[in-house]
Coordinates of all heavy atoms in Angstrom, one line a residue:
Chain A
D179 N 3.4 124.0 -88.9 CA 2.6 123.0 -88.1 C 1.2 122.8 -88.9 O 0.4 121.9 -88.4 CB 2.3 123.4 -86.7 CG 3.7 123.5 -86.0 OD1 4.6 122.9 -86.4 OD2 3.7 124.3 -85.0
H180 N 1.0 123.5 -89.9 CA -0.3 123.4 -90.6 C -0.5 121.9 -91.1 O 0.5 121.4 -91.7 CB -0.4 124.4 -91.7 CG -1.8 124.6 -92.2 ND1 -2.5 123.6 -92.9 CD2 -2.7 125.6 -92.0 CE1 -3.7 124.1 -93.2 NE2 -3.9 125.3 -92.6
P181 N -1.6 121.3 -90.9 CA -1.8 120.0 -91.3 C -1.6 119.8 -92.8 O -1.2 118.7 -93.3 CB -3.3 119.7 -90.9 CG -3.9 121.0 -90.6 CD -2.8 121.9 -90.1
A182 N -1.9 120.8 -93.6 CA -1.7 120.7 -95.0 C -0.2 120.4 -95.4 O 0.0 119.8 -96.4 CB -2.1 122.0 -95.7
K183 N 0.6 120.9 -94.6 CA 2.1 120.7 -94.9 C 2.5 119.2 -95.1 O 3.3 118.9 -95.8 CB 2.9 121.4 -93.9 CG 3.0 122.9 -93.9 CD 3.6 123.4 -95.2 CE 3.8 124.9 -95.2 NZ 4.9 125.4 -94.4
R184 N 1.8 118.4 -94.2 CA 2.1 117.0 -94.2 C 1.7 116.4 -95.5 O 2.5 115.6 -96.2 CB 1.5 116.3 -93.1 CG 2.1 116.6 -91.7 CD 2.1 115.4 -90.8 NE 0.8 114.7 -90.8 CZ -0.3 115.0 -90.1 NH1 -0.2 115.9 -89.3 NH2 -1.4 114.3 -90.3
V185 N 0.5 116.8 -96.0 CA 0.1 116.2 -97.3 C 1.0 116.7 -98.4 O 1.4 115.8 -99.2 CB -1.4 116.8 -97.6 CG1 -1.9 116.3 -98.9 CG2 -2.3 116.5 -96.5
I186 N 1.4 117.9 -98.4 CA 2.2 118.4 -99.5 C 3.5 117.7 -99.4 O 4.0 117.3 -100.5 CB 2.5 120.0 -99.2 CG1 1.1 120.7 -99.3 CG2 3.5 120.5 -100.2 CD1 1.2 122.2 -99.0
E187 N 4.1 117.6 -98.3 CA 5.5 117.0 -98.2 C 5.4 115.5 -98.8 O 6.2 115.1 -99.5 CB 5.9 116.9 -96.8 CG 7.4 116.4 -96.6 CD 7.8 116.5 -95.1 OE1 7.1 117.1 -94.3 OE2 8.8 115.9 -94.8
E188 N 4.3 114.8 -98.4 CA 4.2 113.4 -98.8 C 4.1 113.3 -100.4 O 4.7 112.5 -101.0 CB 3.0 112.8 -98.2 CG 2.9 111.3 -98.3 CD 1.5 110.8 -97.9 OE1 0.9 111.4 -97.0 OE2 1.1 109.8 -98.5
V189 N 3.3 114.2 -100.9 CA 3.1 114.1 -102.4 C 4.3 114.5 -103.1 O 4.8 113.8 -104.0 CB 2.0 115.1 -102.8 CG1 2.0 115.3 -104.3 CG2 0.6 114.8 -102.3
K190 N 5.1 115.5 -102.6 CA 6.4 115.8 -103.2 C 7.3 114.7 -103.2 O 8.1 114.5 -104.1 CB 6.9 117.1 -102.6 CG 6.1 118.3 -102.9 CD 6.0 118.7 -104.3 CE 5.2 119.9 -104.6 NZ 5.0 120.1 -106.1
K191 N 7.4 114.1 -102.0 CA 8.3 112.9 -101.8 C 8.0 111.8 -102.8 O 8.9 111.2 -103.4 CB 8.3 112.5 -100.4 CG 9.1 113.2 -99.4 CD 9.3 112.4 -98.1 CE 10.5 113.0 -97.3 NZ 10.3 114.3 -96.7
N192 N 6.7 111.5 -102.9 CA 6.2 110.4 -103.8 C 6.6 110.8 -105.2 O 7.0 110.0 -106.0 CB 4.7 110.2 -103.7 CG 4.4 109.5 -102.4 OD1 5.2 108.8 -101.8 ND2 3.2 109.7 -101.8
H193 N 6.4 112.1 -105.6 CA 6.7 112.5 -107.0 C 8.2 112.3 -107.2 O 8.5 111.8 -108.3 CB 6.4 114.0 -107.1 CG 6.5 114.5 -108.5 ND1 6.7 115.7 -108.8 CD2 6.4 113.8 -109.7 CE1 6.8 115.9 -110.1 NE2 6.5 114.7 -110.7
R194 N 9.0 112.6 -106.3 CA 10.4 112.4 -106.5 C 10.7 111.0 -106.6 O 11.5 110.5 -107.5 CB 11.2 113.0 -105.3 CG 12.5 113.7 -105.7 CD 13.6 113.1 -104.8 NE 14.1 111.9 -105.4 CZ 15.3 111.4 -105.2 NH1 16.2 112.0 -104.5 NH2 15.7 110.1 -105.7
N195 N 10.2 110.1 -105.8 CA 10.4 108.7 -105.9 C 9.9 108.1 -107.2 O 10.6 107.3 -107.9 CB 9.8 107.9 -104.8 CG 10.5 108.2 -103.4 OD1 11.6 108.7 -103.4 ND2 9.8 108.1 -102.3
F196 N 8.8 108.6 -107.7 CA 8.3 108.2 -108.9 C 9.2 108.5 -110.1 O 9.5 107.7 -110.9 CB 6.9 108.8 -109.2 CG 6.3 108.7 -110.6 CD1 5.8 107.4 -110.9 CD2 6.3 109.7 -111.4 CE1 5.3 107.2 -112.2 CE2 5.8 109.6 -112.7 CZ 5.3 108.3 -113.1
L197 N 9.7 109.7 -110.0 CA 10.6 110.1 -111.1 C 11.9 109.4 -111.0 O 12.4 108.9 -112.1 CB 11.0 111.6 -110.9 CG 10.1 112.6 -111.6 CD1 10.5 114.1 -111.3 CD2 10.1 112.3 -113.1
A198 N 12.4 109.1 -109.8 CA 13.6 108.3 -109.7 C 13.4 106.9 -110.2 O 14.3 106.4 -111.0 CB 14.0 108.3 -108.3
K199 N 12.2 106.4 -110.0 CA 12.0 105.0 -110.5 C 12.0 105.0 -112.1 O 12.6 104.2 -112.7 CB 10.6 104.5 -110.0 CG 10.2 103.2 -110.2 CD 8.8 102.8 -109.6 CE 7.7 103.6 -110.3 NZ 6.4 103.2 -109.8
L200 N 11.3 106.1 -112.6 CA 11.3 106.2 -114.1 C 12.7 106.3 -114.6 O 13.0 105.6 -115.6 CB 10.4 107.3 -114.5 CG 8.9 107.2 -114.6 CD1 8.3 108.3 -115.4 CD2 8.5 105.9 -115.1
C201 N 13.5 107.1 -114.0 CA 14.9 107.4 -114.5 C 15.6 106.1 -114.4 O 16.4 105.8 -115.3 CB 15.5 108.5 -113.7 SG 14.8 110.1 -114.1
A202 N 15.5 105.4 -113.3 CA 16.3 104.2 -113.2 C 15.9 103.2 -114.2 O 16.7 102.5 -114.9 CB 16.1 103.7 -111.7
R203 N 14.6 103.0 -114.4 CA 14.1 102.0 -115.3 C 14.5 102.4 -116.7 O 14.7 101.5 -117.6 CB 12.5 101.9 -115.3 CG 12.1 101.2 -114.0 CD 10.6 100.7 -114.2 NE 10.0 100.2 -113.0 CZ 8.8 100.4 -112.6 NH1 8.0 101.0 -113.4 NH2 8.3 99.9 -111.5
A204 N 14.6 103.6 -117.0 CA 15.0 104.1 -118.3 C 16.5 103.9 -118.6 O 17.0 104.2 -119.7 CB 14.6 105.6 -118.5
G205 N 17.1 103.5 -117.5 CA 18.6 103.1 -117.8 C 19.5 104.3 -117.7 O 20.6 104.3 -118.2
L206 N 19.0 105.4 -117.1 CA 19.9 106.6 -116.9 C 21.0 106.2 -116.0 O 20.9 105.5 -115.0 CB 19.1 107.7 -116.4 CG 17.9 108.3 -117.3 CD1 17.6 109.7 -116.9 CD2 18.3 108.2 -118.7
D207 N 22.1 106.9 -116.3 CA 23.4 106.6 -115.5 C 23.2 107.1 -114.1 O 23.6 106.4 -113.1 CB 24.5 107.4 -116.2 CG 25.6 106.4 -116.5 OD1 25.3 105.2 -116.6 OD2 26.8 106.8 -116.6
Q208 N 22.7 108.2 -113.9 CA 22.5 108.8 -112.5 C 21.1 109.1 -112.3 O 20.7 110.3 -112.2 CB 23.4 110.0 -112.3 CG 24.8 109.9 -112.8 CD 25.6 111.2 -112.6 OE1 25.9 111.5 -111.5 NE2 25.9 111.8 -113.8
P209 N 20.3 108.1 -112.1 CA 18.8 108.3 -112.0 C 18.5 109.2 -110.8 O 17.6 110.0 -111.0 CB 18.3 106.9 -111.7 CG 19.4 106.1 -111.2 CD 20.7 106.7 -111.8
E210 N 19.0 109.1 -109.7 CA 18.7 109.9 -108.6 C 18.9 111.4 -108.9 O 18.1 112.3 -108.6 CB 19.5 109.5 -107.3 CG 19.4 108.1 -106.9 CD 18.0 107.9 -106.3 OE1 17.4 108.8 -105.6 OE2 17.5 106.7 -106.4
L211 N 20.1 111.7 -109.4 CA 20.5 113.0 -109.8 C 19.5 113.6 -110.9 O 19.0 114.7 -110.8 CB 21.9 113.1 -110.4 CG 22.4 114.5 -110.6 CD1 22.5 115.4 -109.4 CD2 23.8 114.5 -111.3
A212 N 19.2 112.8 -111.9 CA 18.3 113.2 -112.9 C 16.9 113.5 -112.4 O 16.3 114.4 -112.7 CB 18.3 112.2 -114.0
A213 N 16.5 112.6 -111.5 CA 15.1 112.8 -110.9 C 15.1 114.1 -110.2 O 14.1 114.9 -110.3 CB 14.8 111.6 -110.0
D214 N 16.1 114.4 -109.3 CA 16.1 115.6 -108.6 C 16.1 116.8 -109.5 O 15.4 117.7 -109.3 CB 17.3 115.7 -107.7 CG 17.3 114.9 -106.5 OD1 16.1 114.7 -106.1 OD2 18.3 114.6 -105.9
M215 N 16.9 116.7 -110.7 CA 16.9 117.8 -111.5 C 15.5 118.0 -112.3 O 15.1 119.2 -112.4 CB 18.0 117.6 -112.6 CG 19.4 117.7 -112.0 SD 20.7 117.5 -113.1 CE 20.6 119.0 -114.1
L216 N 15.0 117.0 -112.7 CA 13.7 117.1 -113.4 C 12.7 117.7 -112.4 O 11.9 118.6 -112.8 CB 13.2 115.7 -113.9 CG 14.0 115.1 -115.1 CD1 13.4 113.8 -115.4 CD2 13.9 116.1 -116.3
G217 N 12.7 117.2 -111.2 CA 11.7 117.7 -110.2 C 11.9 119.2 -110.0 O 10.9 120.0 -110.0
L218 N 13.2 119.6 -109.7 CA 13.4 121.0 -109.4 C 13.2 121.9 -110.6 O 12.7 123.0 -110.5 CB 14.8 121.2 -108.9 CG 15.1 120.6 -107.5 CD1 16.4 121.2 -106.9 CD2 13.9 120.9 -106.5
L219 N 13.4 121.4 -111.8 CA 13.3 122.2 -113.0 C 11.7 122.4 -113.2 O 11.3 123.5 -113.5 CB 13.7 121.4 -114.3 CG 15.2 121.6 -114.6 CD1 15.6 120.8 -115.8 CD2 15.6 123.0 -114.7
L220 N 10.9 121.4 -112.9 CA 9.4 121.6 -113.0 C 9.0 122.6 -111.9 O 8.2 123.5 -112.2 CB 8.8 120.2 -112.9 CG 7.2 120.3 -112.8 CD1 6.6 121.0 -114.0 CD2 6.6 118.9 -112.6
E221 N 9.4 122.4 -110.7 CA 9.1 123.2 -109.6 C 9.5 124.7 -110.0 O 8.7 125.6 -109.8 CB 9.7 122.7 -108.4 CG 9.0 123.0 -107.1 CD 7.8 122.0 -107.0 OE1 8.0 120.9 -106.5 OE2 6.7 122.4 -107.3
G222 N 10.7 124.8 -110.5 CA 11.1 126.2 -110.8 C 10.3 126.8 -111.9 O 10.0 128.0 -111.9
A223 N 10.0 126.0 -112.9 CA 9.3 126.5 -114.0 C 7.9 127.0 -113.6 O 7.4 128.0 -114.0 CB 9.1 125.4 -115.1
R224 N 7.3 126.2 -112.7 CA 5.9 126.6 -112.3 C 6.0 127.9 -111.5 O 5.0 128.7 -111.5 CB 5.3 125.5 -111.4 CG 4.8 124.4 -112.2 CD 4.8 123.1 -111.4 NE 3.6 122.4 -111.5 CZ 3.4 121.2 -110.9 NH1 4.3 120.7 -110.1 NH2 2.2 120.5 -111.0
I225 N 7.1 128.1 -110.7 CA 7.1 129.3 -109.9 C 7.5 130.5 -110.8 O 7.0 131.5 -110.7 CB 8.2 129.1 -108.8 CG1 7.7 128.3 -107.7 CG2 8.7 130.5 -108.3 CD1 6.5 128.8 -107.0
S226 N 8.5 130.2 -111.7 CA 8.9 131.3 -112.6 C 7.8 131.9 -113.4 O 7.8 133.0 -113.7 CB 10.0 130.7 -113.5 OG 10.2 131.6 -114.6
R227 N 6.8 131.0 -113.7 CA 5.7 131.4 -114.5 C 4.9 132.5 -113.8 O 4.3 133.4 -114.4 CB 4.8 130.3 -114.8 CG 4.2 130.3 -116.2 CD 3.0 129.4 -116.3 NE 1.9 130.1 -115.8 CZ 1.0 130.8 -116.5 NH1 1.2 130.8 -117.8 NH2 0.0 131.4 -116.0
Q228 N 5.0 132.5 -112.5 CA 4.2 133.5 -111.7 C 5.0 134.8 -111.5 O 4.5 135.8 -111.2 CB 3.9 132.9 -110.4 CG 2.9 131.8 -110.5 CD 2.6 131.1 -109.2 OE1 1.9 131.6 -108.3 NE2 3.2 129.9 -109.0
S229 N 6.3 134.7 -111.7 CA 7.1 135.9 -111.6 C 7.4 136.5 -112.9 O 7.4 137.8 -113.0 CB 8.5 135.5 -110.9 OG 8.3 134.9 -109.7
E230 N 7.7 135.7 -113.9 CA 8.1 136.3 -115.2 C 7.0 136.0 -116.3 O 7.3 136.4 -117.5 CB 9.4 135.6 -115.6 CG 10.5 136.0 -114.7 CD 11.9 135.5 -115.3 OE1 12.3 136.0 -116.4 OE2 12.5 134.6 -114.7
G231 N 6.0 135.4 -116.0 CA 5.0 135.2 -117.0 C 5.3 134.0 -117.9 O 6.2 133.3 -117.8
Q232 N 4.4 133.9 -118.9 CA 4.5 132.7 -119.8 C 5.7 132.7 -120.7 O 6.1 131.7 -121.2 CB 3.2 132.5 -120.7 CG 2.0 132.2 -119.8 CD 0.9 131.7 -120.7 OE1 1.1 131.1 -121.7 NE2 -0.3 132.1 -120.4
E233 N 6.2 133.9 -121.0 CA 7.3 134.0 -122.0 C 8.7 133.9 -121.3 O 9.7 133.9 -122.0 CB 7.2 135.4 -122.6 CG 5.8 135.9 -123.0 CD 5.2 135.0 -124.0 OE1 5.9 134.4 -124.8 OE2 4.0 134.8 -123.9
G234 N 8.7 133.7 -120.0 CA 10.0 133.5 -119.3 C 10.6 132.2 -119.6 O 10.3 131.4 -120.5
P235 N 11.6 131.8 -118.8 CA 12.4 130.6 -118.9 C 11.5 129.3 -118.9 O 11.8 128.3 -119.4 CB 13.2 130.5 -117.6 CG 13.5 132.0 -117.3 CD 12.2 132.6 -117.7
S236 N 10.3 129.5 -118.2 CA 9.4 128.3 -118.1 C 9.0 127.8 -119.4 O 8.6 126.6 -119.6 CB 8.2 128.6 -117.2 OG 7.4 129.6 -117.9
A237 N 9.0 128.7 -120.4 CA 8.6 128.3 -121.8 C 9.5 127.3 -122.4 O 9.2 126.6 -123.3 CB 8.5 129.6 -122.7
R238 N 10.7 127.3 -121.9 CA 11.8 126.4 -122.4 C 11.9 125.1 -121.6 O 12.9 124.4 -121.8 CB 13.1 127.1 -122.5 CG 13.4 127.9 -123.8 CD 13.0 129.3 -123.7 NE 13.9 130.1 -122.8 CZ 13.7 131.4 -122.4 NH1 12.6 132.0 -122.9 NH2 14.5 132.0 -121.6
F239 N 11.0 124.9 -120.7 CA 11.0 123.7 -119.9 C 11.3 122.4 -120.6 O 12.1 121.6 -120.2 CB 9.8 123.6 -119.0 CG 9.7 122.3 -118.2 CD1 10.5 122.1 -117.1 CD2 8.9 121.3 -118.7 CE1 10.4 120.8 -116.5 CE2 8.8 120.1 -118.1 CZ 9.6 119.9 -116.9
K240 N 10.5 122.2 -121.7 CA 10.6 120.9 -122.3 C 12.0 120.7 -122.8 O 12.6 119.6 -122.7 CB 9.6 121.0 -123.5 CG 8.9 119.6 -123.6 CD 7.5 119.7 -124.2 CE 7.4 120.1 -125.7 NZ 6.0 119.9 -126.2
R241 N 12.6 121.7 -123.4 CA 14.0 121.5 -124.0 C 14.9 121.2 -122.9 O 15.8 120.3 -123.0 CB 14.4 122.8 -124.7 CG 15.0 122.5 -126.1 CD 15.5 123.8 -126.7 NE 16.9 124.0 -126.7 CZ 17.5 125.2 -126.7 NH1 16.7 126.3 -126.8 NH2 18.8 125.2 -126.7
M242 N 14.8 121.9 -121.7 CA 15.7 121.6 -120.6 C 15.5 120.2 -120.1 O 16.5 119.5 -119.9 CB 15.4 122.6 -119.4 CG 15.6 124.1 -119.8 SD 15.4 125.1 -118.4 CE 14.2 126.2 -119.0

Side-chain angles (χ1 to χ4, degrees):
Chain A
D179 299 334
H180 197 287
K183 286 293 184 79
R184 289 217 315 275
V185 181
I186 296 170
E187 188 178 346
E188 193 193 327
V189 171
K190 291 298 180 188
K191 278 195 161 72
N192 286 335
H193 187 208
R194 216 231 82 154
N195 290 338
F196 169 73
L197 269 180
K199 189 177 66 179
L200 281 197
C201 287
R203 284 196 191 147
L206 298 199
D207 234 23
Q208 311 182 68
E210 301 288 329
L211 185 64
D214 279 340
M215 290 181 72
L216 289 177
L218 289 197
L219 279 179
L220 174 57
E221 214 72 85
R224 282 154 135 179
I225 286 297
S226 162
R227 219 198 83 92
Q228 294 174 75
S229 303
E230 296 187 64
Q232 293 196 36
E233 317 298 328
S236 67
R238 271 95 69 187
F239 167 77
K240 218 149 75 170
R241 227 182 104 206
M242 297 187 237

